[in-house]
Amino acid sequence: MNIYFACSVTGGREYEETYQQLTKFLLARGHEVPTAHLAESNILDLERVADPKDVYARDINWLLACDLLIAEISIASHGVGYEIGFALQAEKPVLCLHDATRVVSKMITGNPHPGLRVRTYHDISEAFKHIDNF
């Protein structure tokens, strides 16, 4: 399955280890994750030199080609919110995961779209279970 993984890049990286664990989990399950590089520690350096128009075109193409989107939303991110909305408009199933101790946007948690699932986790194994169930 082709999975678009969305996470905060410029909005904050305090969940970077979680991002890495999630992408490794997906890749170990045999999924294609074109955005796995977003979990890496050097992503800010890589994205800093990328032209915004190129990043937009690349990411939109990946979103259109994906089977579904999984987003880690514990950190607020304009880009991740945009990607979630775009994926839903494109009729892609979306799973949003967030740390149970974090408050996230009501624009996500209150969204009644039938293709959207929002799940909390207390530890990474619980996040993995949500992914498997999705």
Side-chain angles (χ1 to χ4, degrees), residues 4-9 60 63 69-89 94 96 104-105 107-109 111 116:
Y4 190 103
F5 177 74
C7 63
S8 175
V9 175
I60 291 300
L63 277 165
L69 181 144
I70 295 176
E72 206 301 333
I73 61 167
S74 296
I75 297 174
S77 166
H78 297 297
V80 173
Y82 185 90
E83 291 163 337
I84 292 167
F86 188 93
L88 291 172
Q89 282 297 117
V94 174
C96 292
V104 298
S105 172
M107 288 298 291
I108 302 295
T109 61
N111 187 332
L116 175 65

Side-chain angles (χ1 to χ4, degrees), residues 15 24 44 50 55 57 60-62 76 82 89 102 111-112 114 121 133:
Y15 281 82
K24 286 177 186 172
L44 289 174
V55 171
I60 291 300
N61 285 329
W62 283 339
Y82 185 90
Q89 282 297 117
R102 300 296 293 246
N111 187 332
Y121 62 87
N133 290 335

Side-chain angles (χ1 to χ4, degrees), residues 10-70:
T10 58
R13 297 295 292 175
E14 62 210 75
Y15 281 82
E16 185 174 285
E17 184 178 330
T18 300
Y19 304 157
Q20 292 168 359
Q21 291 175 321
L22 292 170
T23 55
K24 286 177 186 172
F25 177 80
L26 294 170
L27 292 168
R29 289 273 202 269
H31 299 294
E32 181 182 341
V33 185
T35 56
H37 69 286
L38 298 178
E40 298 304 319
S41 297
N42 65 343
I43 188 60
L44 289 174
D45 294 332
L46 295 174
E47 292 290 302
R48 188 173 289 122
V49 298
D51 181 78
K53 290 179 183 178
D54 293 340
V55 171
Y56 178 83
R58 175 197 70 191
D59 290 2
I60 291 300
N61 285 329
W62 283 339
L63 277 165
L64 292 171
C66 78
D67 297 305
L68 58 93
L69 181 144
I70 295 176

